[in-house]
Amino acid sequence: MPVLVEDEKDVVHNSKSSPRKNRLKSHSRGFSRWAGYLFIAPAIIYLAIFLLVPFARGIQLSFTDSVLVNPSGGSFVGIENYANLVTSARFWNSLGATLTYTATTVFFSMFVGTTTAILVNRKFRGRTIVRAILTFPYAMPSVAVTLVFIWIYNQSGGILNRTTGALGLGEVGWLTDPSFGMFSVVATTVWKVFPFVMLVMLAALQSVPEELFEAARVDGADSLSTFRSIVLPHLMPTIRVVALLMTIWSIRRFEIIFLLTGGGPVEKTNTLVINIYQRAFSEQQLGAAAAIAVLGLILSLAVTVVFFLAERRENVKEGTS
Amino acid sequence: MKTRRVAVRALTFTSLSITLVFAAFPVYWMINTMLATDSELYQSGQSFWAHLERFGTIPFLLNDVPIFKWLTNSSIIAFGSTFLSLLLALLGAYALSRFRFHGKGLAGFLLFSTQMLPEAFLVVPLFALFGSLGLLNGLLGLVIANTTFTMPVALFIMKSAIDKIPYEIEESARIDGCPRYGQLSMIVLPLILPSVAAAAVISFFDGWNEFLFANTFISDSEIWPASVGLASFIGQYSTPLGSVMTAAFLFTLPAVIFFLIVQRQIVSGLTAGAVKG
Amino acid sequence: MPSITFKNLSKSYGSTPIIREFTADIDDKEFLVLLGPSGCGKSTMLRMIAGLTDITSGELLFDGELVNTLEPRARNVAFVFQSYALYPHMTVQENIAFPLIMDRFKGWYHIPILNSIMRRVLANSPDVRDRVTEVAEMLELRELMKRRPKTLSGGQRQRVAVARALVRDPSLYLLDEPLSNLDAKLRTQMRGEISALFRRVSKSFVYVTHDQVEAMTMATRIIVLNHGEVQQIGTPNEIYNSPSNTFVASFIGAPAMNLIPVTVSSGRTVIRDGSQAISVRCEQPDGDYLLGIRPEVIALADAGTASEAYVTSLEHLGGETVIGFQFKKPSQSNLLAATAVYSNHYARIPGRIELKPGSVQDFDINITAGVWFDEKTGQALNVNSEELQRKE
């Protein structure tokens, strides 16, 4: 079939992209390597000074008994700080608080965020306004958030207790009662961060190809099974990434907890980050604080590594690596 | 089938309404509290309906709080770290996107690591370092500390934007006699401006909202940023709560407005930063 | 201006060779086409000439001067990219002016802010403006000067790319598949325009394509490449009529040259698949060959007078008919599916011919118009090329 000859070449031509990519990568090898170093140098030097040096200093501090007023004056104490930590109930409590806080925050913000995204993905009048209102909390600075919530949680004048009082349930020390402290902190955090999950999920939902829905409709699938078999698999990669971000950010989070409860009541919300701060700046023990930081860093590293290993396995399974 | 449809619709409407109230109520309550007097708040009980007619009193409320001085400090920190972040990030993003060199993977990891490293883990050694460098109790120290964490985010946002530019366009400029730095400033930079804007907004609000470093490094209330200044009212009752809320509202306003404008880029930017590591 | 000399030019990425030991001399003012299938290294070659890709080993000379390490700008070349690579943020006018502005740019103009001011100043300088206007007029772009590339059609973008190449009056034009993104009709038109441009500017052109029609119609000289190795260098005529090996023979022409396995013994040529002898005497020494015959040289013959074959396919192209045939008796499935290269041959016969697939038909294989290839090496055994040249 003679006419095929030309067509065939076109097909071959289209598949050209992979050798081209290779070529471009290798192209910049020889002559421009130094230029590459030149462009990356400022960022790396900056991080070396203000990230790596403090990082190394932090590790070094963790082996000393340095105090706040004289950070360089401490003497080497070996692994004493670490030994004290692993034998102290306070540290394990702090680790437990971190895990509880992270797990509940991630779960609820993922749940609320994803459901809301599905809800506002439908078409209805005023959708833009609704979405704008729903994103509000994320844009609000944490300090402002805590100011409002402290007042909402207020023992006597707060709207929560006035409501429970009116309902005859009595007053609750939302931020002072040990059985409610963690709840209040988590609720505030979820309020603040769920819009982020919602926005990312919304973007992912909108990227579900329309043909898939049509195909499902043709196959006579109802909306629930459409969701399960089409939308959810499409969302999974995004869900995984957002869950990782949420986890890392939860381990990192400081202001909301610090300003709402300061780690109380009775250390119920004393996460590692709060614990470090208190050790360093209230109790002035820099060495001990640095040791907690090192252990905490190992924890967040472990989370990330586990995530990337899982992600890689997932990619291999899907053949998309 | 029809009744089921109605049920789904009712369920959607109900859950959406609940979420909407959940999201909007604290914001409404902030405004409500702004406009309430201390005696209403602590004694007679706050009215559920905001006294919107008192909006005119807002300027007087601000007399109790040096909020404008603090907001100025916040802006200096925010602008400073935005400028520094964008400058370093643009060069670095160009390098990571367009060049091949030894240690590129390591550089990428170093940048990415800042995203999983809690600031609080660095606050102790940074405090020690800044103490010896004389950077404590000054805005420059905060600019530097913030940039450490915002620059990598900005960098990844810009890198993924540069990655999308076809290589040929720069090669074409090279043929036309445009040197490397010219290609960056005249070709690449104009093409990634939307991403630069998103990175700028993210960096700005990281600086604007930042609390931990400021609270730790700055002891002089004259150079407090608004975040630290506002937090100082927690647990003290001498300043009217309405005034504090008003100041907090002013602190919130620019953040919300900017965020709503560039929302889309911010979200894709933040996730790009995390995924592209 | 320049004659281009390639001396053992090689390129490899890591251990993967892309171009192997390429040696050639190209005269000034040639329209040189680098032709080959994708992945043959033709684009890499062009990029090495431009200075966009560094040369692994060997020498590249312009007018006898080594340019291996020169920056693209110093080589005074213009490059038209396959994707056109127009600057998306600049208007057509700014795109065309960019090379001129860069020529006049001093180092300190690159200071931020100053750089955009100086670009505007230079763009408005009379010599730049006049030259841009002149080129725009030449390519009929006057109406589009304020538009951005995004708003232009494919053909218009292509013209802007050419204008930008033209504006600096370079001595060497390099074009990387510039027509491959256009539709068929526009492609034909632009072929003509590029040829006209070549005659008008009278400079050297190097043009990369995988499309043999572009090569045949525009080139004054063609280099056929495959797997990074030069297959043949020659005029379009030489490439078409005396391909140097079976690769070139089967790459050029649609349908390509027929390669018929034959055995020669004492002057008799026997088609191996058909076990029939061709009556014309043959000068080749005894042995196995591939006989290359262009489809248009084959004619239909009455039964019993020529080589008998089986018709496998029929395509009416209006003015002519392309008949697929093979010497072996085809099975039913063979008739339906496309058949292997060596067993299926094509004849191009003027007019509309009606034949039934599967039927038996005699074809006149004119071996004097054929090219003989060594069956093992695939190399041509230049016997008939002289005669062919005369015939043309």
Side-chain angles (χ1 to χ4, degrees), chain A residues 1-2 12-13 16 23 27, chain C residues 13 38 52 82 177 322 346:
Chain A
M1 302 244 210
V12 172
H13 173 69
K16 194 178 173 180
R23 183 189 73 202
H27 149 63
Chain C
Y13 292 135
S38 62
L52 291 173
Q82 183 177 7
E177 309 211 20
V322 175
Y346 295 100

Side-chain angles (χ1 to χ4, degrees), chain B residues 153-205:
Chain B
V153 179
L155 188 146
F156 285 119
I157 292 172
M158 293 193 212
K159 177 183 176 295
S160 62
I162 298 175
D163 283 344
K164 290 192 190 105
I165 302 176
Y167 210 97
E168 278 89 355
I169 294 180
E170 284 147 87
E171 289 185 325
S172 181
R174 193 170 159 209
I175 297 266
D176 290 343
C178 186
R180 268 288 179 186
Y181 44 89
Q183 288 166 36
L184 177 58
S185 67
M186 287 185 252
I187 308 294
V188 173
L189 185 59
L191 290 178
I192 59 164
L193 272 185
S195 298
V196 174
V201 173
I202 292 177
S203 309
F204 186 87
F205 287 110

Side-chain angles (χ1 to χ4, degrees), chain A residues 286-319:
Chain A
L286 285 190
I292 304 173
V294 170
L295 292 180
L297 183 65
I298 292 169
L299 173 72
S300 54
L301 255 176
V303 170
T304 319
V305 168
V306 165
F307 172 84
F308 276 112
L309 288 181
E311 189 77 343
R312 177 172 295 174
R313 226 183 49 198
E314 199 65 33
N315 284 344
V316 170
K317 220 162 61 191
E318 288 164 13

Side-chain angles (χ1 to χ4, degrees), chain C residues 263-274:
Chain C
T263 303
V264 173
S265 65
S266 52
R268 272 168 55 85
T269 310
V270 178
I271 295 167
R272 252 177 284 152
D273 284 340

Side-chain angles (χ1 to χ4, degrees), chain C residues 11 17 42 146 172 178 321 337 365:
Chain C
K11 174 73 193 174
K42 57 191 190 301
K146 295 286 168 228
L172 178 60
T321 306
I365 313 287

Side-chain angles (χ1 to χ4, degrees), chain B residues 71-85:
Chain B
L71 286 179
T72 312
N73 293 335
S74 289
S75 336
I76 293 171
I77 296 165
F79 277 119
S81 48
T82 304
F83 177 75
L84 198 54
S85 294

Side-chain angles (χ1 to χ4, degrees), chain A residues 18-36:
Chain A
S18 58
R20 165 161 301 211
K21 221 174 246 167
N22 272 332
R23 183 189 73 202
L24 291 180
K25 269 190 183 164
S26 325
H27 149 63
S28 30
R29 204 175 260 163
F31 80 104
S32 54
R33 180 179 295 159
W34 286 108

